[in-house]
Amino acid sequence: LGRMKPVIVVHGGAGRIFKEREEGCRAGTVRAALQGYGVLKRGGSAIDAVEEAVRSMEDDPHFNAGCGSVLNEKGEVEMDAIIMDGKNLDSGAVSAVKCIANPIKLARLVMEKTKHMLLTDQGAHLFARAMAIPEIPGEKLITERSRERWKKNLEPDSNPEEFQKDLGTVGAVAIDSEGNVACATSTGGLSNKLIGRVGDTACIGSGGYADNHSGAASTTGHGESIMKVVLARLILYHMEQGMSPEVAADTALDHMKTRVGGLGGVIVVNKAGEWAARFSTKQMSWATVKDDELHYGIYAGEEHVKSLGEA
């Protein structure tokens, strides 16, 4: 045991990252990767590491998850999250949840404390209460920026599609020293979405999938397109056919683009600990730590490398 070198990869969402937000997105993804890696280095499990990394990004207002989530048509935050354990294919998810700081924690509890895999809206709310998860006022999750965007999208000549390019779902995948893989994904969804809209994030195989036999993937991008091709599972299928994480990710993203015209991004780790962060959008903030070395980037072809000492 303990023969595997632990790896974590995180993403802060694919789309268009505005210049003035770049540094914050970079810093937030790097921080999440370092926190998740810390869990792995202390001998923690992949599932603990991905939950910790995603929680870190939910608490960061730069991302469309937890605090900083975009608003639905009524000006409220409704969040989706999923977590999955590659050891036994256990998974937990929540959708359309309001008034809690960390949907990923609630998803983990759905996985561990119920016989179900997905709880929604009112049911998720009641379950959170039963689990003594503190409720917070909805306003606490709303940033000035989210409200501005919501208002802009309400204007008669606005094109919400234009704003959807800045998506910001967050996610993490990891492999621990025992060779177990896991994934976690969390989002506030689409700006000005219909009440009750659930995207890919809460859907197993679309927003994320983890299986020790092949690896783990977490996705971001246009949710409806991701669901049509079941993107996360498609990537794992390609890896099962012998593709490397990078080729599997590119092949699946290319298929989504040609078949349904959808753009997005993915992070992947395979059972050998090889990783990839790939996207068909203009940008995706990502970071990974492997062999005590931090890699991160936002633009296509951009990859910074630092030793953990420097980081």
Side-chain angles (χ1 to χ4, degrees), residues 86-104:
K87 197 194 311 194
N88 44 20
L89 305 188
D90 276 352
S91 179
V94 292
S95 71
V97 296
K98 301 177 181 138
C99 303
I100 63 163
N102 298 109
I104 200 65

Side-chain angles (χ1 to χ4, degrees), residues 6-311:
V7 182
I8 186 152
V9 195
V10 305
H11 71 74
R16 182 186 55 192
I17 298 162
F18 295 101
K19 268 277 178 266
E20 73 275 8
R21 301 181 63 74
E22 250 178 49
E23 275 322 296
C25 286
R26 242 193 213 106
T29 34
V30 164
R31 188 183 309 120
L34 292 172
Q35 286 186 359
Y37 192 67
V39 171
L40 296 170
K41 278 303 259 194
R42 293 192 295 273
S45 64
I47 200 93
D48 284 342
V50 294
E51 181 189 2
E52 179 56 33
V54 165
R55 187 202 53 74
S56 161
M57 290 185 284
E58 284 178 341
D59 291 343
D60 185 330
H62 280 94
F63 303 108
N64 174 16
C67 175
S69 288
V70 299
L71 311 186
N72 66 13
E73 55 176 357
K74 255 181 67 182
E76 297 172 332
V77 165
E78 285 187 320
M79 302 165 292
D80 304 336
I82 194 168
I83 195 164
M84 186 167 184
D85 189 340
K87 197 194 311 194
N88 44 20
L89 305 188
D90 276 352
S91 179
V94 292
S95 71
V97 296
K98 301 177 181 138
C99 303
I100 63 163
N102 298 109
I104 200 65
K105 285 188 167 176
L106 191 56
R108 172 95 186 245
L109 288 168
V110 170
M111 174 172 86
E112 292 181 344
K113 306 287 186 197
T114 78
K115 291 190 171 72
H116 307 311
M117 284 169 71
L118 172 58
L119 289 181
T120 191
D121 196 2
Q122 202 47 38
H125 178 72
L126 292 170
F127 175 66
R129 196 173 273 176
M131 291 289 117
I133 299 257
E135 274 171 53
I136 59 171
E139 300 78 70
K140 275 263 201 309
L141 298 170
I142 299 177
T143 59
E144 194 42 50
R145 179 162 179 271
S146 295
R147 199 179 288 290
E148 284 305 306
R149 277 179 65 184
W150 174 70
K151 279 197 197 124
K152 261 211 180 84
N153 287 342
L154 288 181
E155 291 165 12
D157 57 350
S158 84
N159 176 12
E161 292 302 305
E162 200 28 56
F163 285 91
Q164 300 311 358
K165 295 193 173 114
D166 177 24
L167 290 159
T169 298
V170 305
V173 294
I175 187 165
D176 59 31
S177 56
E178 298 193 353
N180 292 314
V181 299
C183 71
T185 314
S186 180
T187 190
L190 290 179
S191 189
N192 297 63
K193 61 189 179 177
L194 294 180
I195 290 165
R197 178 264 188 186
V198 176
D200 64 295
T201 300
C203 301
I204 188 169
S206 294
Y209 202 82
D211 182 348
N212 281 6
H213 294 163
S214 43
S218 169
T219 68
T220 167
H222 185 245
E224 282 71 16
S225 298
I226 290 170
M227 291 158 95
K228 287 173 185 176
V229 302
V230 198
L231 188 61
R233 189 64 189 86
L234 181 59
I235 293 163
L236 264 54
Y237 166 78
H238 286 318
M239 293 199 301
E240 285 156 9
Q241 306 302 304
M243 286 184 191
S244 69
E246 188 158 307
V247 174
D250 285 348
T251 304
L253 283 168
D254 191 52
H255 171 68
M256 185 167 83
K257 194 172 175 177
T258 51
R259 188 71 179 87
V260 297
L263 301 179
V266 298
I267 49 169
V268 196
V269 64
N270 71 8
K271 63 182 181 185
E274 300 168 317
W275 62 273
R278 309 292 293 172
F279 48 99
S280 52
T281 51
K282 273 208 173 68
Q283 290 145 292
M284 179 180 80
S285 59
W286 64 271
T288 183
V289 188
K290 181 182 180 174
D291 291 333
D292 290 336
E293 211 172 52
L294 167 75
H295 298 243
Y296 62 95
I298 285 187
Y299 293 93
E302 174 193 7
E303 188 171 326
H304 304 279
V305 184
K306 282 184 180 171
S307 70
L308 277 199
E310 291 174 83

